[in-house]
């Protein structure tokens, strides 16, 4: 079944130096953009990181620093990549927890404004786990009856994810072929940021989700403990978490100014 699209959707997969969203970086990216008329466009690049590639990542991907010595940095490909996926919703496999947060961190480090709030995000792994509980290779075999022979290469994993999602729509008739509904079905958290340091309560208010202030509204923490903002900005939190915190702080300051 083909996806019912009203705007382009970009399926993508990353190979990275490791699995720490705050620290690790992209070493390979493939994006498969599906347009509303179902025509396809592809963006692919290997990327030279500024941090070492972990032993585990080398074993899984087969990519070494030597392989990447002549490749562009992420900052060099960021403008072209951003333009390629402009106005696209996003799709991937485990993308809501890993690929999208790490991609956002890379864009922020490259000083490229990448707004995820205006995009729907479909995670085929979430759909798969809710329905079957397995991995991408097993999902590809289960849904598409094919072996994923090039697993852990970004281009193979990207196309496999796209094919898995289409097969999921064929198999599960109660899944609505609608990007907004698929994105909602893919969402498992109430995070305000990707790392889950700030979450929404049942009233839609941002609250701290760790440490001594866990469960307390962010605006209340910032009012009672003004130095808390700078503490978070100076410590090892993801850039996107800091961006969300800054937006809350600025909104709070703007509201206070209007009241004066």
């Amino acid at each position: 079944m083909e996806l019912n699209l009203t705007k382009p959707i970009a399926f993508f997969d990353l190979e990275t130096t490791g699995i720490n969203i705050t620290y690790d970086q992209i070493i390979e990216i493939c994006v498969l953009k599906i347009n509303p008329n179902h025509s396809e466009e592809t963006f692919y690049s290997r990327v030279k990181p500024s941090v070492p590639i972990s032993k585990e990542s080398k074993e899984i991907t087969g990519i070494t620093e030597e392989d990447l010595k002549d490749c562009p940095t992420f900052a060099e490909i960021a403008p072209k990549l951003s333009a390629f996926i402009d106005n696209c919703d996003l799709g991937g496999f485990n993308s809501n927890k890993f690929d999208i947060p790490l991609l956002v961190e890379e864009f922020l480090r490259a000083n490229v404004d990448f707004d995820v709030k205006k995009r729907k995000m479909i995670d085929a792994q979430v759909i798969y786990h809710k329905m079957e509980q397995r991995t991408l290779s097993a999902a590809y075999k289960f849904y598409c009856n094919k072996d994923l022979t090039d697993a852990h290469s970004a281009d193979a994993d990207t196309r496999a994810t796209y094919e898995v999602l289409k097969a999921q729509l064929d198999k599960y008739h109660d899944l609505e072929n609608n990007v907004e509904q698929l994105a909602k079905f893919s969402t498992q958290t109430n995070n305000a940021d990707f790392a889950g340091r700030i979450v929404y309560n049942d009233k839609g208010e941002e609250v701290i989700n760790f440490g001594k202030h866990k469960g307390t509204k962010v605006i209340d923490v910032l009012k009672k403990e003004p130095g808390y903002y700078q503490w978070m900005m100076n410590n090892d939190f993801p850039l996107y978490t800091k961006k969300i915190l800054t937006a809350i702080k600025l909104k709070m300051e703007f509201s206070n100014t209007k009241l004066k």
Side-chain angles (χ1 to χ4, degrees):
M1 182 184 296
E2 294 293 345
L3 284 174
N4 181 16
L5 301 175
T6 58
K7 62 187 291 189
I9 183 167
F11 291 90
F12 75 102
D13 185 72
L14 308 177
E15 303 304 334
T16 63
T17 57
I19 58 173
N20 186 316
I21 292 169
T22 304
Y23 170 81
D24 283 302
Q25 299 177 16
I26 295 169
I27 56 176
E28 186 181 48
I29 180 170
C30 182
V31 184
L32 176 64
K33 181 164 71 174
I34 312 299
N35 295 304
N37 65 359
H38 298 110
S39 63
E40 301 178 3
E41 302 173 66
T42 303
F43 178 98
Y44 173 84
S45 182
R46 284 193 166 186
V47 183
K48 181 170 64 176
S50 61
V51 299
I53 303 173
S54 68
K55 177 184 176 182
E56 293 78 11
S57 181
K58 289 177 183 177
E59 290 174 349
I60 291 171
T61 66
I63 300 173
T64 67
E65 284 89 354
E66 179 67 18
D67 297 326
L68 305 175
K69 65 179 183 179
D70 297 321
C71 294
T73 64
F74 186 84
E76 290 172 326
I77 69 167
K80 183 177 180 181
L81 174 60
S82 178
F84 184 77
I85 59 178
D86 184 46
N87 195 40
C88 288
D89 291 322
L90 301 174
F93 198 89
N94 194 32
S95 50
N96 286 358
K97 286 188 176 180
F98 183 74
D99 297 81
I100 292 174
L102 199 146
L103 180 64
V104 169
E105 290 294 298
E106 288 277 41
F107 274 126
L108 287 170
R109 281 193 286 265
N111 294 314
V112 173
D113 185 25
F114 183 69
D115 187 0
V116 294
K117 289 188 175 181
K118 65 181 181 180
R119 304 168 191 268
K120 304 293 188 299
M121 296 177 284
I122 299 176
D123 192 331
Q125 187 192 62
V126 174
I127 296 173
Y128 184 40
H129 284 180
K130 283 185 174 181
M131 298 295 192
E132 305 294 344
Q133 311 290 315
R134 301 194 183 178
T135 62
L136 177 56
S137 295
Y140 196 54
K141 182 68 174 179
F142 181 84
Y143 289 111
C144 305
N145 197 29
K146 300 177 184 178
D147 293 318
L148 186 53
T149 55
D150 294 323
H152 299 299
S153 67
D155 51 347
D157 289 357
T158 298
R159 180 162 292 279
T161 298
Y162 173 50
E163 292 185 25
V164 164
L165 180 59
K166 292 197 295 180
Q168 286 172 331
L169 288 168
D170 286 328
K171 182 174 180 63
Y172 305 118
H173 300 297
D174 53 340
L175 278 180
E176 188 172 341
N177 189 353
N178 174 286
V179 168
E180 182 171 0
Q181 294 304 315
L182 289 170
K184 287 180 179 179
F185 193 78
S186 298
T187 302
Q188 291 183 305
T189 71
N190 61 338
N191 293 351
D193 68 335
F194 287 117
R197 300 294 186 269
I198 301 172
V199 299
Y200 294 107
N201 62 18
D202 55 6
K203 296 180 180 178
E205 301 164 320
E206 297 97 341
V207 302
I208 300 295
N209 195 39
F210 69 97
K212 65 180 182 179
H213 294 303
K214 185 173 182 178
T216 305
K217 290 193 296 183
V218 174
I219 58 173
D220 289 342
V221 174
L222 296 180
K223 287 177 182 177
K224 295 177 182 177
E225 193 176 327
Y228 190 80
Y229 170 79
Q230 203 56 50
W231 175 78
M232 284 194 66
M233 297 303 288
N234 290 337
N235 277 279
D236 190 25
F237 292 97
L239 293 175
Y240 191 68
T241 300
K242 295 177 181 180
K243 181 179 180 180
I244 294 297
L245 182 66
T246 298
I248 296 169
K249 183 175 184 290
L250 291 174
K251 185 169 65 174
M252 185 178 74
E253 292 174 350
F254 179 72
S255 297
N256 290 340
T257 301
K258 287 182 67 177
L259 291 173
K260 291 180 180 179

